[in-house]
């Protein structure tokens, strides 16, 4: 007795169904690829130096170091003339405080307006809309830490922003130079963020 799978009508339906499944798989694969490009895969070494969602990152990092780590960041609270490190709220009472506040607004508060208020509009600083889109590309409750070192130039700081990827084991570092002068009102605000 012939198998029902050998029936020509059944085989025709299987071919059509298989083609449909292949088409759906192709569309899903393409969609996943596009989402990956704009959600941070271009953030890995060998990419164009951009950040998640390209220019939408507040940092626009140039040197990106991605390494595996079984431990969380081990961030320390350090404030000195030679080096500062924190994952705290920051303030506007110092250049370092403004940088910490900027990153806290990105990772914790997820508040683009707050970030924009900590900076001065310029071609070297992301807009509020760009910041909002960049915040959406970062998972909620991402562990992070910022290390700041003076460059020797007035108001310029080498900034390394480290954060743990969604896998909980990969640490990525965005490296950049931030320019943070004091305003006439006595507050420090970010006027430039450049790839380092």
């Amino acid at each position: 007795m012939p198998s029902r799978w050998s029936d020509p009508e059944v085989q025709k339906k299987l071919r059509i169904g298989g083609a449909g499944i292949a088409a759906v798989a192709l569309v899903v694969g393409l969609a996943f690829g596009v989402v990956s490009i704009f959600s941070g895969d271009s953030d890995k070494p060998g990419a164009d130096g951009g950040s998640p969602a390209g220019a939408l990152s507040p940092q626009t990092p140039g040197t990106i170091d991605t390494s595996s780590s079984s431990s969380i960041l081990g961030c320390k609270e350090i404030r000195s003339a030679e080096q500062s490190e924190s994952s705290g709220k920051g303030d506007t009472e110092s250049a370092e405080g403004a940088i910490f506040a900027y990153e806290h607004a990105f990772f914790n508060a997820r508040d683009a307006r707050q970030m924009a208020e900590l900076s001065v509009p310029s071609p070297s600083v992301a807009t509020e809309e760009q910041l909002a889109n960049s915040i959406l590309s970062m998972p909620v409750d991402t562990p992070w830490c910022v290390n700041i070192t003076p460059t020797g130039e007035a108001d310029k700081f080498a900034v390394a922003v480290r954060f743990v990827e969604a896998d909980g084991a990969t640490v990525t570092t965005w490296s950049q130079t931030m320019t943070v002068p004091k305003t006439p009102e006595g507050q420090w605000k970010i006027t430039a963020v450049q790839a380092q």
Side-chain angles (χ1 to χ4, degrees), residues 41-161:
D41 284 353
S42 61
D43 191 352
K44 303 298 182 241
D48 63 0
S51 57
L56 301 183
S57 167
Q59 285 82 15
T60 313
T63 303
I64 302 173
D65 174 41
T66 302
S67 58
S68 292
S69 172
S70 58
S71 65
I72 300 299
L73 300 169
C75 196
K76 298 178 177 68
E77 288 294 324
I78 302 170
R79 291 283 188 110
S80 74
E82 296 79 29
Q83 182 184 35
S84 296
E85 184 170 278
S86 180
S87 59
K89 290 184 176 181
D91 53 54
T92 55
E93 305 304 312
S94 67
E96 294 87 350
I99 294 170
F100 293 139
Y102 191 75
E103 301 301 341
H104 185 273
F106 179 75
F107 287 99
N108 290 86
R110 299 176 67 84
D111 188 336
R113 177 166 293 176
Q114 187 178 343
M115 293 182 77
E117 289 171 356
L118 290 162
S119 60
V120 175
S122 81
S124 300
V125 178
T127 66
E128 185 176 336
E129 181 181 0
Q130 289 172 324
L131 292 168
N133 287 330
S134 186
I135 287 168
L136 290 176
S137 75
M138 184 64 64
V140 176
D141 297 327
T142 295
W144 63 281
C145 187
V146 182
N147 187 281
I148 304 168
T149 308
T151 64
E153 291 184 61
D155 304 323
K156 286 195 175 182
F157 301 86
V159 179
V161 182

Side-chain angles (χ1 to χ4, degrees), residues 1-2 11 30 34 38-39 53 79 86-87 118-119 163 166 185:
M1 181 174 179
Q11 287 183 354
L30 288 172
V34 170
F38 288 101
S39 66
R79 291 283 188 110
S86 180
S87 59
L118 290 162
S119 60
F163 63 93
E185 295 76 33

